[in-house]
Amino acid sequence: MSKKDKELVIVEAKNLSKIFEKKTKLPGLKGFFSPMKEEFKAVDDISFKVNKGERIAFVGPNGAGKSTTIKMLTGILHPTTGSIKVAGLDPIKQRKQVAYKIGCLFGQKSGLWMHLSAFDTYKLFGAIYDLDEDTTLKRINHLIELFDIEDLVHTPVRRLSLGQRMICEIVGVLIHEPEIIFLDEPTIGLDIVVKEKVRNLIKDINEKSNVTVFLTSHDVSDIEKLCDRVIIIDKGKIVIDEKIDVLKEKYLKKKIVTIKKEETISLEDIIYDIYTRK
Amino acid sequence: MLTVVKNYFRFMKESIKCNLKGVMEYKKSFLIQSVFMFFNNFFFLIFWFVIFNGSDGNINGITMNDILYLWSLPVISFGTAFFFFGGISKLGQYILEGGLDTYLTQPKNVLINVMVSGMDFSAFGDLIYGLVIGLFAVEFNILKYVILVCLGIIGAIFYICVEALIRLLTIKIGNTDNIEHICINTLMITFASYPEAIYGKLIKMLIYTVIPSAYIAFIPIKFVQTLNFGFLLWFLAVACGFVVLTAVFSKQMLKKYESGNNIAMRG
């Protein structure tokens, strides 16, 4: 890989695997004292690269290995085999250094403190990421203005709606100006209006600050409207890694069109139609 | 190095400030729990007063003053540990529910980050109680009081480390609530609540090794009473040992952390 390529690549996973041990208890005393141990390969020898500024959708069915992969990339889980580089660093050996470069949002977990306002938590984030007080306040005020959330940030987080909370969460991820943000199902449980707002917010961050976006979602619209590349994972293996346009061209050859007739059709006509169909 | 330490102190100060703001959201609950804990502790002393009232103030060499020491210094340690660093008792729950993810993606030591992430309201009652009884234990000698409070605060290290060591076992064995209750409440605190002179050799061996009751009570108290620096060095050396042991053990255990996808909120 040339030096230029190295500078361009922000995430690199090589032959990455994660094996979990599953314990199955057999009935009776024997099962209690010696449960059966089974190995479960959540991620199976995957390799990929992500370039700076890309918006990647990492998708797949439940249990496909999406979250496990994200957790390995962010230093939460240790891979069983393989190597990872994020912003040129190893997230396992250099977890803390990597943390300064990345922002993580897990849609099912809150990074904000429930009893405090988002503003107070943002100030705490400043201390967590070693930003001095002036820089923290400047950054918070800039983000508040940019995303127009002045009316949300001073209310205790527990009183915010899910959508409002998610917008505040995304802003929280950006306090330390990360180079890449990992978003694990950021639109989970949101209504279509808030979903659209969250998508625009993420797109804005990417376009204005060239922040790389690595996103998992079950919502096809998230992928279509937000991302320029998609990696599909199933049973721990990458099955497709394509640009969105190429993916549409290659795989979306069929379209189901539903036609609604203006005149009423009787049940007799339908049955006749079925019988006479060749 | 100095910048790293400075940054950690600023981060811990900000976290504790956030916790205190959280406490203020539930002022009544905080006050009620603190006052109840203060009186809960006070009732134990009443029994000791009754026992010593029936004697000439000295039972087999043990005086009421010894008891006051036992109900001040270790209680200051407990109050400091669980009021300011009460998040550590949530470590097991975070491990079981995948709540450590947030802490692992932040550039701070996971255990320090977790311990400043929460407060136990009732421990404030313990802290105030320990500070008040301490004044009587040192008979209002200011120098001894300052030493007692300082050692009480340092003694919090033992509670935090034992709590962390037990909670980290959650990664390997699952729920550790009962183990924690037995080790800290039943063994560590109980052994530290009675004079050392009543224990036989076996118990003494235990409280100077695996159940560090001697280091949250007897050793620091001996230093306050005698100002013999040997006791201070012993106390500080074992405290450092516990910190190193906890750091090494957490590094090993966190490698095996398996996360989870539970829906949860912080706070």
Side-chain angles (χ1 to χ4, degrees):
Chain A
M1 194 168 29
S2 72
K3 199 182 164 196
K4 202 181 167 193
D5 284 342
K6 268 188 187 172
E7 279 169 12
L8 204 68
V9 173
I10 193 159
V11 176
E12 189 179 8
K14 265 190 203 164
N15 309 107
L16 201 60
S17 294
K18 179 71 187 174
I19 299 170
F20 289 109
E21 201 175 68
K22 264 198 323 192
K23 279 181 188 170
T24 319
K25 277 181 189 162
L26 296 167
L29 268 181
K30 199 186 166 199
F32 180 79
F33 287 108
S34 53
M36 253 177 47
K37 284 178 188 169
E38 229 180 297
E39 282 190 343
F40 166 69
K41 220 169 199 179
V43 174
D44 190 0
D45 194 27
I46 62 168
S47 301
F48 61 88
K49 282 178 195 165
V50 179
N51 290 333
K52 269 183 191 167
E54 260 191 307
R55 293 192 302 256
I56 292 254
F58 197 69
V59 296
N62 285 329
K66 305 182 297 289
S67 296
T68 306
T69 306
I70 274 205
K71 282 170 185 175
M72 287 194 283
L73 296 177
T74 51
I76 295 169
L77 293 176
H78 288 227
T80 311
T81 57
S83 67
I84 309 165
K85 285 267 185 241
V86 174
L89 301 161
D90 180 342
I92 301 309
K93 290 179 187 150
Q94 297 162 292
R95 181 187 69 79
K96 286 181 207 162
Q97 288 93 314
V98 169
Y100 288 105
K101 311 256 181 193
I102 64 169
C104 298
L105 173 70
F106 300 102
Q108 296 170 325
K109 287 167 190 150
S110 178
L112 300 173
W113 288 39
M114 201 167 61
H115 308 302
L116 300 181
S117 65
F119 193 86
D120 286 329
T121 313
Y122 295 161
K123 281 205 295 189
L124 176 65
F125 286 166
I128 289 175
Y129 289 96
D130 304 332
L131 304 175
D132 63 60
E133 275 175 51
D134 278 352
T135 314
T136 306
L137 282 175
K138 267 185 202 161
R139 184 79 187 140
I140 295 171
N141 289 329
H142 169 71
L143 290 168
I144 288 174
E145 206 179 307
L146 191 66
F147 299 118
D148 193 21
I149 51 165
E150 178 65 42
D151 52 337
L152 303 181
V153 291
H154 298 289
T155 309
V157 171
R158 67 171 193 277
R159 291 200 195 129
L160 296 176
S161 70
L162 185 63
Q164 291 171 328
R165 202 196 87 200
M166 195 52 77
I167 290 165
C168 289
E169 296 270 4
I170 293 173
V171 171
V173 165
L174 301 171
I175 298 289
H176 61 291
E177 296 186 288
E179 290 177 27
I180 176 166
I181 50 174
F182 292 93
L183 307 165
D184 194 4
E185 299 187 39
T187 56
I188 194 169
L190 305 180
D191 67 48
I192 45 166
V193 179
V194 181
K195 265 184 188 177
E196 196 56 34
K197 202 171 175 183
V198 168
R199 280 176 205 138
N200 291 336
L201 212 137
I202 297 167
K203 212 167 182 177
D204 266 12
I205 300 159
N206 169 263
E207 282 166 1
K208 285 178 183 154
S209 321
N210 200 32
V211 173
T212 311
V213 176
F214 194 97
L215 166 131
T216 76
S217 180
H218 286 292
D219 191 322
V220 182
S221 302
D222 283 351
I223 302 155
E224 203 175 1
K225 291 180 181 174
L226 200 54
C227 300
D228 33 41
R229 182 178 147 203
V230 64
I231 297 177
I232 302 177
I233 182 169
D234 189 26
K235 290 172 188 157
K237 282 190 178 290
I238 290 176
V239 286
I240 288 172
D241 182 354
E242 294 280 10
K243 293 269 178 199
I244 291 276
D245 301 339
V246 179
L247 184 85
K248 278 183 187 171
E249 222 173 87
K250 264 190 182 175
Y251 299 95
L252 294 183
K253 286 176 182 166
K254 284 180 192 170
K255 203 149 204 178
I256 297 168
V257 180
T258 312
I259 299 167
K260 207 171 179 184
K261 277 189 168 184
E262 226 175 287
E263 67 271 26
T264 48
I265 302 166
S266 68
L267 188 64
E268 197 184 349
D269 288 341
I270 295 169
I271 293 167
Y272 175 76
D273 188 45
I274 292 166
Y275 283 171
T276 54
R277 197 183 289 165
K278 284 178 186 172
Chain B
M1 184 68 189
L2 198 69
T3 316
V4 175
V5 175
K6 215 176 100 188
N7 285 338
Y8 260 96
F9 271 107
R10 189 178 146 233
F11 152 64
M12 287 164 78
K13 192 187 87 188
E14 286 297 327
S15 284
I16 290 170
K17 250 165 74 179
C18 281
N19 282 322
L20 289 171
K21 274 188 187 173
V23 166
M24 288 306 117
E25 281 281 309
Y26 303 100
K27 274 180 222 153
K28 283 178 192 162
S29 167
F30 167 64
L31 285 172
I32 291 168
Q33 286 189 62
S34 302
V35 170
F36 268 81
M37 190 47 75
F38 186 93
F39 284 105
N40 172 61
N41 291 341
F42 190 71
F43 287 122
F44 285 101
L45 265 190
I46 290 178
F47 290 109
W48 283 108
F49 276 116
V50 172
I51 294 167
F52 278 99
N53 253 350
S55 69
D56 59 353
N58 188 320
I59 306 168
N60 289 336
I62 300 162
T63 63
M64 188 61 205
N65 185 258
D66 295 325
I67 303 299
L68 289 178
Y69 267 109
L70 289 175
W71 282 89
S72 59
L73 199 147
V75 183
I76 293 174
S77 303
F78 184 90
T80 307
F82 292 102
F83 183 63
F84 291 109
F85 309 108
I88 199 71
S89 49
K90 290 186 194 159
L91 181 62
Q93 184 195 333
Y94 289 157
I95 290 168
L96 283 176
E97 295 173 356
L100 273 193
D101 295 7
T102 311
Y103 302 96
L104 281 160
T105 55
Q106 292 174 347
K108 288 284 174 276
N109 176 285
V110 177
L111 285 190
I112 294 177
N113 205 346
V114 168
M115 77 188 198
V116 292
S117 72
M119 270 180 173
D120 177 354
F121 292 2
S122 63
F124 186 71
D126 290 303
L127 182 60
I128 297 298
Y129 175 86
L131 291 171
V132 171
I133 301 300
L135 271 174
F136 293 95
V138 296
E139 292 160 344
F140 297 92
N141 178 323
I142 298 299
L143 175 69
K144 282 193 171 184
Y145 186 68
V146 171
I147 296 171
L148 179 127
V149 173
C150 289
L151 295 191
I153 292 168
I154 298 170
I157 287 173
F158 291 98
Y159 283 109
I160 294 167
C161 288
V162 172
E163 181 81 32
L165 289 167
I166 295 167
R167 294 303 188 180
L168 281 166
L169 283 176
T170 308
I171 292 173
K172 205 80 189 129
I173 61 172
N175 195 325
T176 49
D177 285 352
N178 284 334
I179 302 173
E180 186 266 356
H181 185 78
I182 292 167
C183 287
I184 292 198
N185 290 50
T186 314
L187 298 173
M188 215 165 132
I189 295 177
T190 307
F191 285 130
S193 306
Y194 297 93
E196 189 183 0
I198 69 168
Y199 300 125
K201 274 184 189 166
L202 179 69
I203 299 288
K204 271 190 184 167
M205 200 183 76
L206 285 175
I207 61 178
Y208 275 88
T209 52
V210 284
I211 308 158
S213 303
Y215 307 102
I216 54 165
F218 313 137
I219 301 296
I221 288 171
K222 278 177 191 165
F223 176 66
V224 182
Q225 287 173 327
T226 63
L227 294 181
N228 177 340
F229 280 87
F231 290 120
L232 180 66
L233 287 177
W234 188 1
F235 172 70
L236 294 177
V238 180
C240 288
F242 264 82
V243 172
V244 172
L245 174 72
T246 310
V248 172
F249 190 63
S250 73
K251 205 172 177 188
Q252 289 307 312
M253 290 308 276
L254 288 174
K255 280 183 194 168
K256 292 170 188 140
Y257 170 65
E258 289 193 349
S259 185
N261 288 318
N262 199 34
I263 296 170
M265 289 283 284
R266 280 180 78 183

